[in-house]
PDB file of all heavy atoms in Angstrom:
ATOM      1  N   GLY A1117      19.122   1.319  -1.234  1.00 38.00           N
ATOM      2  CA  GLY A1117      18.770   1.857   0.064  1.00 38.00           C
ATOM      3  C   GLY A1117      17.313   1.735   0.409  1.00 38.00           C
ATOM      4  O   GLY A1117      16.955   0.973   1.282  1.00 38.00           O
ATOM      5  N   VAL A1118      16.433   2.503  -0.221  1.00 39.00           N
ATOM      6  CA  VAL A1118      15.046   2.544   0.163  1.00 39.00           C
ATOM      7  C   VAL A1118      14.190   2.305  -1.067  1.00 39.00           C
ATOM      8  O   VAL A1118      14.433   2.868  -2.104  1.00 39.00           O
ATOM      9  CB  VAL A1118      14.688   3.917   0.780  1.00 39.00           C
ATOM     10  CG1 VAL A1118      13.226   3.950   1.178  1.00 39.00           C
ATOM     11  CG2 VAL A1118      15.561   4.199   1.982  1.00 39.00           C
ATOM     12  N   GLY A1119      13.173   1.476  -0.925  1.00 42.00           N
ATOM     13  CA  GLY A1119      12.224   1.293  -2.019  1.00 42.00           C
ATOM     14  C   GLY A1119      10.842   1.129  -1.438  1.00 42.00           C
ATOM     15  O   GLY A1119      10.675   0.492  -0.424  1.00 42.00           O
ATOM     16  N   ALA A1120       9.816   1.734  -2.039  1.00 41.00           N
ATOM     17  CA  ALA A1120       8.457   1.558  -1.555  1.00 41.00           C
ATOM     18  C   ALA A1120       7.782   0.459  -2.345  1.00 41.00           C
ATOM     19  O   ALA A1120       7.871   0.424  -3.540  1.00 41.00           O
ATOM     20  CB  ALA A1120       7.690   2.870  -1.716  1.00 41.00           C
ATOM     21  N   ARG A1121       7.032  -0.463  -1.676  1.00 37.00           N
ATOM     22  CA  ARG A1121       6.381  -1.522  -2.401  1.00 37.00           C
ATOM     23  C   ARG A1121       4.896  -1.617  -1.976  1.00 37.00           C
ATOM     24  O   ARG A1121       4.613  -1.226  -0.846  1.00 37.00           O
ATOM     25  CB  ARG A1121       7.047  -2.858  -2.077  1.00 37.00           C
ATOM     26  CG  ARG A1121       8.454  -2.937  -2.553  1.00 37.00           C
ATOM     27  CD  ARG A1121       8.942  -4.344  -2.514  1.00 37.00           C
ATOM     28  NE  ARG A1121       8.929  -4.853  -1.169  1.00 37.00           N
ATOM     29  CZ  ARG A1121       9.972  -5.460  -0.622  1.00 37.00           C
ATOM     30  NH1 ARG A1121      11.074  -5.575  -1.307  1.00 37.00           N
ATOM     31  NH2 ARG A1121       9.907  -5.921   0.595  1.00 37.00           N
ATOM     32  N   MET A1122       3.904  -0.591  -3.732  1.00 30.00           N
ATOM     33  CA  MET A1122       2.564  -0.772  -3.654  1.00 30.00           C
ATOM     34  C   MET A1122       2.687  -1.877  -3.667  1.00 30.00           C
ATOM     35  O   MET A1122       3.892  -2.686  -4.801  1.00 30.00           O
ATOM     36  CB  MET A1122       1.487  -0.783  -4.502  1.00 30.00           C
ATOM     37  CG  MET A1122       1.529  -0.155  -5.371  1.00 30.00           C
ATOM     38  SD  MET A1122       0.517   0.033  -6.153  1.00 30.00           S
ATOM     39  CE  MET A1122      -0.132   0.642  -5.598  1.00 30.00           C
ATOM     40  N   GLY A1123      -6.964  -8.632   3.624  1.00 30.00           N
ATOM     41  CA  GLY A1123      -6.635  -8.536   4.293  1.00 30.00           C
ATOM     42  C   GLY A1123      -6.502  -9.956   4.751  1.00 30.00           C
ATOM     43  O   GLY A1123      -5.558 -10.345   4.604  1.00 30.00           O
ATOM     44  N   VAL A1124      -9.880 -15.103  11.328  1.00 26.00           N
ATOM     45  CA  VAL A1124      -9.885 -16.358  10.510  1.00 26.00           C
ATOM     46  C   VAL A1124     -10.017 -17.454  11.512  1.00 26.00           C
ATOM     47  O   VAL A1124      -9.349 -17.513  12.519  1.00 26.00           O
ATOM     48  CB  VAL A1124      -8.639 -16.579   9.683  1.00 26.00           C
ATOM     49  CG1 VAL A1124      -8.479 -18.038   9.202  1.00 26.00           C
ATOM     50  CG2 VAL A1124      -8.791 -15.707   8.483  1.00 26.00           C
ATOM     51  N   VAL A1125     -10.701 -17.737  11.005  1.00 25.00           N
ATOM     52  CA  VAL A1125     -10.916 -18.867  11.879  1.00 25.00           C
ATOM     53  C   VAL A1125     -10.737 -20.116  11.066  1.00 25.00           C
ATOM     54  O   VAL A1125     -10.827 -20.087   9.844  1.00 25.00           O
ATOM     55  CB  VAL A1125     -12.329 -18.815  12.513  1.00 25.00           C
ATOM     56  CG1 VAL A1125     -12.473 -17.666  13.461  1.00 25.00           C
ATOM     57  CG2 VAL A1125     -13.402 -18.739  11.434  1.00 25.00           C
ATOM     58  N   ALA A1126     -10.560 -21.308  11.762  1.00 27.00           N
ATOM     59  CA  ALA A1126     -10.353 -22.556  11.014  1.00 27.00           C
ATOM     60  C   ALA A1126     -11.714 -23.064  10.564  1.00 27.00           C
ATOM     61  O   ALA A1126     -12.342 -23.866  11.231  1.00 27.00           O
ATOM     62  CB  ALA A1126      -9.647 -23.580  11.884  1.00 27.00           C
ATOM     63  N   ALA A1127     -12.183 -22.551   9.430  1.00 28.00           N
ATOM     64  CA  ALA A1127     -13.498 -22.917   8.916  1.00 28.00           C
ATOM     65  C   ALA A1127     -13.514 -22.768   7.416  1.00 28.00           C
ATOM     66  O   ALA A1127     -12.639 -22.147   6.830  1.00 28.00           O
ATOM     67  CB  ALA A1127     -14.578 -22.034   9.540  1.00 28.00           C
ATOM     68  N   VAL A1128     -14.530 -23.325   6.782  1.00 26.00           N
ATOM     69  CA  VAL A1128     -14.708 -23.176   5.348  1.00 26.00           C
ATOM     70  C   VAL A1128     -15.674 -22.025   5.120  1.00 26.00           C
ATOM     71  O   VAL A1128     -16.777 -22.046   5.636  1.00 26.00           O
ATOM     72  CB  VAL A1128     -15.257 -24.460   4.718  1.00 26.00           C
ATOM     73  CG1 VAL A1128     -15.491 -24.280   3.224  1.00 26.00           C
ATOM     74  CG2 VAL A1128     -14.302 -25.608   4.972  1.00 26.00           C
ATOM     75  N   VAL A1129     -15.252 -21.019   4.369  1.00 30.00           N
ATOM     76  CA  VAL A1129     -16.099 -19.869   4.094  1.00 30.00           C
ATOM     77  C   VAL A1129     -16.198 -19.726   2.591  1.00 30.00           C
ATOM     78  O   VAL A1129     -15.232 -19.342   1.933  1.00 30.00           O
ATOM     79  CB  VAL A1129     -15.537 -18.571   4.713  1.00 30.00           C
ATOM     80  CG1 VAL A1129     -16.503 -17.422   4.463  1.00 30.00           C
ATOM     81  CG2 VAL A1129     -15.297 -18.749   6.198  1.00 30.00           C
ATOM     82  N   ALA A1130     -17.357 -20.029   2.055  1.00 33.00           N
ATOM     83  CA  ALA A1130     -17.597 -19.915   0.610  1.00 33.00           C
ATOM     84  C   ALA A1130     -16.511 -20.609  -0.197  1.00 33.00           C
ATOM     85  O   ALA A1130     -16.046 -20.104  -1.204  1.00 33.00           O
ATOM     86  CB  ALA A1130     -17.716 -18.453   0.213  1.00 33.00           C
ATOM     87  N   GLY A1131     -16.095 -21.789   0.268  1.00 34.00           N
ATOM     88  CA  GLY A1131     -15.131 -22.568  -0.502  1.00 34.00           C
ATOM     89  C   GLY A1131     -13.694 -22.242  -0.210  1.00 34.00           C
ATOM     90  O   GLY A1131     -12.797 -22.830  -0.794  1.00 34.00           O
ATOM     91  N   LEU A1132     -13.416 -21.261   0.690  1.00 36.00           N
ATOM     92  CA  LEU A1132     -12.041 -20.912   1.018  1.00 36.00           C
ATOM     93  C   LEU A1132     -11.719 -21.450   2.400  1.00 36.00           C
ATOM     94  O   LEU A1132     -12.506 -21.307   3.333  1.00 36.00           O
ATOM     95  CB  LEU A1132     -11.859 -19.392   1.019  1.00 36.00           C
ATOM     96  CG  LEU A1132     -12.124 -18.692  -0.306  1.00 36.00           C
ATOM     97  CD1 LEU A1132     -11.869 -17.204  -0.146  1.00 36.00           C
ATOM     98  CD2 LEU A1132     -11.232 -19.258  -1.387  1.00 36.00           C
ATOM     99  N   VAL A1133     -10.522 -22.031   2.550  1.00 36.00           N
ATOM    100  CA  VAL A1133     -10.096 -22.561   3.843  1.00 36.00           C
ATOM    101  C   VAL A1133      -8.893 -21.779   4.306  1.00 36.00           C
ATOM    102  O   VAL A1133      -7.912 -21.652   3.580  1.00 36.00           O
ATOM    103  CB  VAL A1133      -9.743 -24.064   3.747  1.00 36.00           C
ATOM    104  CG1 VAL A1133      -9.348 -24.597   5.108  1.00 36.00           C
ATOM    105  CG2 VAL A1133     -10.926 -24.848   3.187  1.00 36.00           C
ATOM    106  N   SER A1134      -8.935 -21.237   5.504  1.00 37.00           N
ATOM    107  CA  SER A1134      -7.820 -20.458   6.016  1.00 37.00           C
ATOM    108  C   SER A1134      -6.838 -21.350   6.736  1.00 37.00           C
ATOM    109  O   SER A1134      -7.177 -22.438   7.205  1.00 37.00           O
ATOM    110  CB  SER A1134      -8.334 -19.381   6.983  1.00 37.00           C
ATOM    111  OG  SER A1134      -8.903 -19.986   8.119  1.00 37.00           O
ATOM    112  N   ALA A1135      -5.597 -20.862   6.853  1.00 39.00           N
ATOM    113  CA  ALA A1135      -4.588 -21.580   7.615  1.00 39.00           C
ATOM    114  C   ALA A1135      -4.892 -21.446   9.099  1.00 39.00           C
ATOM    115  O   ALA A1135      -5.550 -20.503   9.529  1.00 39.00           O
ATOM    116  CB  ALA A1135      -3.204 -21.012   7.300  1.00 39.00           C
ATOM    117  N   PRO A1136      -4.415 -22.348   9.938  1.00 39.00           N
ATOM    118  CA  PRO A1136      -4.689 -22.254  11.365  1.00 39.00           C
ATOM    119  C   PRO A1136      -4.053 -21.020  11.965  1.00 39.00           C
ATOM    120  O   PRO A1136      -2.973 -20.603  11.575  1.00 39.00           O
ATOM    121  CB  PRO A1136      -4.061 -23.538  11.928  1.00 39.00           C
ATOM    122  CG  PRO A1136      -3.042 -23.938  10.914  1.00 39.00           C
ATOM    123  CD  PRO A1136      -3.610 -23.534   9.599  1.00 39.00           C
ATOM    124  N   SER A1137      -4.745 -20.412  12.937  1.00 39.00           N
ATOM    125  CA  SER A1137      -4.249 -19.206  13.584  1.00 39.00           C
ATOM    126  C   SER A1137      -3.422 -19.560  14.799  1.00 39.00           C
ATOM    127  O   SER A1137      -3.713 -20.517  15.518  1.00 39.00           O
ATOM    128  CB  SER A1137      -5.414 -18.311  14.014  1.00 39.00           C
ATOM    129  OG  SER A1137      -6.106 -17.807  12.906  1.00 39.00           O
ATOM    130  N   ALA A1138      -2.396 -18.754  15.037  1.00 42.00           N
ATOM    131  CA  ALA A1138      -1.641 -18.893  16.269  1.00 42.00           C
ATOM    132  C   ALA A1138      -2.496 -18.403  17.431  1.00 42.00           C
ATOM    133  O   ALA A1138      -3.418 -17.619  17.245  1.00 42.00           O
ATOM    134  CB  ALA A1138      -0.349 -18.069  16.181  1.00 42.00           C
ATOM    135  N   ALA A1139      -2.215 -18.860  18.651  1.00 41.00           N
ATOM    136  CA  ALA A1139      -2.964 -18.403  19.806  1.00 41.00           C
ATOM    137  C   ALA A1139      -2.702 -16.919  20.015  1.00 41.00           C
ATOM    138  O   ALA A1139      -1.583 -16.513  20.294  1.00 41.00           O
ATOM    139  CB  ALA A1139      -2.532 -19.187  21.046  1.00 41.00           C
ATOM    140  N   PRO A1140      -3.725 -16.053  19.849  1.00 39.00           N
ATOM    141  CA  PRO A1140      -3.483 -14.613  19.900  1.00 39.00           C
ATOM    142  C   PRO A1140      -3.271 -14.117  21.314  1.00 39.00           C
ATOM    143  O   PRO A1140      -4.060 -14.385  22.208  1.00 39.00           O
ATOM    144  CB  PRO A1140      -4.762 -14.024  19.284  1.00 39.00           C
ATOM    145  CG  PRO A1140      -5.821 -15.048  19.533  1.00 39.00           C
ATOM    146  CD  PRO A1140      -5.119 -16.376  19.553  1.00 39.00           C
TER     147      PRO A1140
END
Side-chain angles (χ1 to χ4, degrees):
V1118 180
R1121 295 194 298 230
M1122 329 188 72
V1124 163
V1125 293
V1128 178
V1129 183
L1132 299 181
V1133 182
S1134 65
S1137 294

